[in-house]
Amino acid sequence: MEAAIKTNKKSKRGNPKGRPLDATALAEVRALLGAAPRRRDLLIEHLHKIQDRYGCVSAPHLVALAREMALATAEVYEVATFYHHFDVIKEGDAAPPALTVRVCDSLSCELAGALPLLEKLKTTLGPNVRVIPAPCIGRCEQAPAVVVGQNPVAQATVDQVKAQVAANQTKCAVAKYTGFDEYRKKGGYRIAVECLAGQRDAEDIVKTMEASSLRGLGGAGFPTGRKWRILRGERGPRLMAINIDEGEPGTFKDRYYLERDPHRFLEGMLIAAWTAQISEVYIYLRDEYAGCRAILEREIAALQKNPPCPLPPIHLRRGAGAYICGEESAMIESIEGKRGMPRLRPPYVAEVGLFGYPTLEHNMETLYWVRDILEKGAQWFAGHGRHGRKGVRSFSVSGRVNKPGVHLAPAGITVKELIDEYCGGMLAGQKFYAYLPGGASGGILPASMGDIPLDFDTLQPHGCFIGSAAVIILSDRDKAGAAARNLMKFFAEESCGQCTPCRVGTAKALNLMQAPQWNKGLLEELSSAMADASICGLGQAAPNPVRCVVKHFAHEIE
């Protein structure tokens, strides 16, 4: 033993620890980054540059990026492997095919036949095309939806996808929308100009927003005016983080508005920034929305080239495929160039948010309504509503209806009224059976409970919530239990893994839900653990569909 120890002491390590730096890879990374800053918070943006150029992130490129940004290779690796849209290739492994076709397998697309479509595409597109399932891509009204490269295909068929692949149509086309010049001609940015010129009073604006009853439309429903008032009372500098991750299955309203009138949102952003005395603005857009990204890049540049009023610095950041980044603190971590893992609270992001500064966090649609409310008055917005509720809601409706899409309807409308008055009724020959009032997290209710007003605070007594108003309609051809399995599979795949109740609970629950007869007692134990002990809303809300099925659709699982 002593001889062995002496031998080891004398031995010398021939190579340094870690992967060697490849000079060619370093030169390629430097060329891609150009004059861009090498700041830590730009790590994800720089990973996108490598992924876009080479179709993957190879080990040599990863090491070179780490060296160029003065980061540990392990730190770059853990960020790159956290996000679905970075193909990190280990040494010795083959790179993926140049073209990837993603078939959405979330609930609305599954109802429309996504799973057999996925299998057919795997066998017909050939070895040079990678076909993979994808979580919700925000095109539920176009189900089944497929993305060829970055080009979305609505109501996709095998022949349509084959034609897109054959024509190499991999870029997302941008439809006509209201651009900067047209928006200005229609009176756009008038209120923003008045604010920056001192012609409006910030306190009056806050009071108007409070009186309007506008609440956060990303799902949490926090009163907008109150949020602005809180931020105005925090120390400076203050930042704003705008959440357009929109990963909740069934939700696509933000994309709908961005594709049509992006400056209405941008003006609302500027008004909010001035009112809350914001120094810089960060817009976080999900990577699946390539068309929206092109629009925002173009229109923010047009706004900055010919600003109607002084502008704060505006940063557009690109997500990388992680549902968890819809949670506000996980989004902030991602903007900072880290894994999108939710923070423990308190402190709240209004106190300690982006880069440690007080942060005003908003959903895109919340800001979209600011201009209208200030032009037309608080009572214009609050005056809408049914069944004692106030305001309007943008319902993302998908599933078994004749007219899926974004429907602007009074807050408090019931799902039966929504189907009949806005969605053209149920599909021919199908009977209303059940509905999801708030996307994957919002629970599942039977048609017999279709007279509950759809709004904040009305669904909680029934174990559900409206969230971002993503309504998915099921018919008598569907099973609520099967829908719940689809949702739990999504939660299990999208859990960030930070906390055990969510990471283990979602996987265990999914396994139990595969059985023809559910173990209701054990599922309730798991549900309680997830709801009570998970760090963020993903794990806390994941049991909602399970509990709803056990309560309202027990005949399906016994």
Side-chain angles (χ1 to χ4, degrees):
M1 178 65 73
E2 289 181 3
I5 293 173
K6 289 179 181 178
T7 302
N8 287 340
K9 284 182 178 179
K10 292 179 181 179
S11 65
K12 293 182 179 181
R13 180 158 46 90
N15 297 307
K17 286 186 177 181
R19 298 181 185 275
L21 179 65
D22 183 278
T24 301
L26 181 60
E28 290 170 342
V29 167
R30 285 176 173 171
L32 280 175
L33 270 54
R38 270 58 168 171
R39 297 196 315 268
R40 175 66 173 80
D41 62 289
L42 293 173
L43 174 57
I44 293 172
E45 296 296 307
H46 294 338
L47 284 167
H48 272 304
K49 293 174 183 177
I50 297 173
Q51 176 74 37
D52 290 346
R53 171 63 179 83
Y54 295 101
C56 62
V57 180
S58 67
H61 283 144
L62 191 146
V63 173
L65 181 62
R67 173 66 66 87
E68 188 67 8
M69 297 188 70
L71 296 171
T73 302
E75 194 172 4
V76 177
Y77 178 82
E78 73 172 7
V79 171
T81 54
F82 180 86
Y83 296 92
H84 297 316
H85 291 183
F86 296 135
D87 294 309
V88 180
I89 308 301
K90 298 178 181 178
E91 283 188 13
D93 290 348
L99 179 60
T100 296
V101 171
R102 290 181 166 86
V103 181
C104 179
D105 66 353
S106 288
L107 181 55
S108 298
C109 287
E110 183 179 284
L111 295 175
L115 298 184
L117 176 63
L118 173 65
E119 295 307 314
K120 289 178 183 177
L121 289 174
K122 284 181 177 180
T123 59
T124 58
L125 292 183
N128 296 323
V129 179
R130 179 175 60 163
V131 180
I132 59 175
C136 186
I137 61 174
R139 296 184 177 274
C140 314
E141 86 282 23
Q142 301 171 5
V146 172
V147 181
V148 178
Q150 293 186 341
N151 182 29
V153 182
Q155 287 90 39
T157 65
V158 172
D159 289 342
Q160 285 177 317
V161 176
K162 286 175 66 177
Q164 297 283 340
V165 171
N168 197 31
Q169 294 179 346
T170 60
K171 301 296 182 182
C172 183
V174 176
K176 189 180 185 314
Y177 63 90
T178 301
F180 178 71
D181 292 337
E182 184 180 356
Y183 184 77
R184 289 299 310 276
K185 290 177 182 177
K186 294 180 178 179
Y189 290 108
R190 178 181 61 82
I191 294 178
V193 169
E194 292 173 355
C195 290
L196 273 295
Q199 298 172 13
R200 285 184 177 255
D201 180 71
E203 178 62 23
D204 288 343
I205 288 179
V206 172
K207 288 180 178 178
T208 299
M209 299 308 297
E210 289 173 334
S212 73
S213 299
L214 176 67
R215 297 172 65 170
L217 297 174
F222 193 87
T224 302
R226 190 192 308 172
K227 182 178 284 191
W228 293 10
R229 186 175 295 283
I230 290 171
L231 260 294
R232 282 171 56 83
E234 291 292 330
R235 60 182 171 83
R238 309 174 189 89
L239 304 180
M240 181 189 293
I242 299 169
N243 193 335
I244 322 181
D245 193 61
E246 196 167 50
E248 182 75 14
T251 310
F252 46 91
K253 61 183 179 60
D254 292 353
R255 172 183 60 79
Y256 176 88
Y257 288 123
L258 279 175
E259 289 176 341
R260 288 158 176 79
D261 198 358
H263 286 280
R264 192 170 297 269
F265 146 65
L266 291 172
E267 182 172 8
M269 174 191 79
L270 295 180
I271 294 168
W274 176 80
T275 305
Q277 299 176 331
I278 299 298
S279 300
E280 294 189 41
V281 176
Y282 287 78
I283 302 172
Y284 188 85
L285 178 70
R286 70 180 311 201
D287 194 33
E288 289 84 351
Y289 288 174
C292 292
R293 186 167 64 253
I295 290 171
L296 283 176
E297 287 174 345
R298 183 184 306 161
E299 297 309 314
I300 290 173
L303 176 64
Q304 292 171 332
K305 183 179 179 180
N306 186 23
C309 57
L311 304 176
I314 301 170
H315 309 276
L316 179 61
R317 293 295 178 86
R318 181 177 171 185
Y323 166 70
I324 192 64
C325 290
E327 196 275 340
E328 62 178 7
S329 66
M331 174 192 67
I332 285 173
E333 290 285 298
S334 189
I335 292 173
E336 293 179 354
K338 305 171 187 174
R339 294 177 294 168
M341 288 188 160
R343 299 175 178 177
L344 290 170
R345 286 167 290 187
Y348 297 95
V349 300
E351 304 165 293
V352 181
L354 188 57
F355 306 121
Y357 296 114
T359 301
L360 177 62
E361 188 274 343
H362 265 313
N363 170 254
M364 172 264 160
E365 196 209 345
T366 309
L367 297 171
Y368 183 89
W369 292 112
V370 169
R371 174 191 164 183
D372 282 325
I373 290 171
L374 295 179
E375 281 185 341
K376 302 174 183 178
Q379 289 310 308
W380 166 81
F381 189 84
H384 294 83
R386 291 188 188 177
H387 308 295
R389 311 306 297 177
K390 294 182 179 181
V392 294
R393 296 286 175 268
S394 300
F395 292 95
S396 303
V397 185
S398 60
R400 310 295 195 179
V401 293
N402 281 310
K403 292 171 58 180
V406 173
H407 297 290
L408 188 62
I413 193 173
T414 70
V415 71
K416 290 180 179 178
E417 293 169 339
L418 187 65
I419 293 171
D420 292 341
E421 298 177 31
Y422 291 85
C423 301
M426 298 292 294
L427 290 174
Q430 301 191 34
K431 183 180 178 182
F432 180 35
Y433 174 67
Y435 67 106
L436 285 71
S441 306
I444 308 174
L445 293 174
S448 60
M449 298 177 69
D451 293 317
I452 301 170
L454 296 176
D455 198 16
F456 298 112
D457 310 320
T458 61
L459 294 155
Q460 279 84 338
H462 308 284
C464 300
F465 56 79
I466 191 171
S468 56
V471 180
I472 304 176
I473 306 298
L474 307 183
S475 77
D476 52 357
R477 299 185 183 183
D478 307 312
K479 297 293 184 183
R485 275 193 298 273
N486 178 288
L487 304 176
M488 189 59 71
K489 174 176 176 288
F490 173 82
F491 291 134
E493 292 173 348
E494 293 297 324
S495 171
C496 75
Q498 180 176 192
C499 64
T500 302
C502 177
R503 181 184 68 250
V504 177
T506 52
K508 293 290 186 183
L510 178 61
N511 185 54
L512 290 171
M513 294 165 72
Q514 305 291 348
Q517 187 173 8
W518 291 8
N519 186 332
K520 293 186 286 186
L522 189 51
L523 277 170
E524 179 52 33
E525 282 189 47
L526 280 171
S527 296
S528 295
M530 285 190 282
D532 295 342
S534 295
I535 289 174
C536 81
L538 191 156
Q540 294 164 9
N544 288 346
V546 178
R547 285 171 159 168
C548 285
V549 169
V550 170
K551 183 176 181 180
H552 301 295
F553 305 92
H555 61 282
E556 293 187 14
I557 57 171
E558 293 178 345

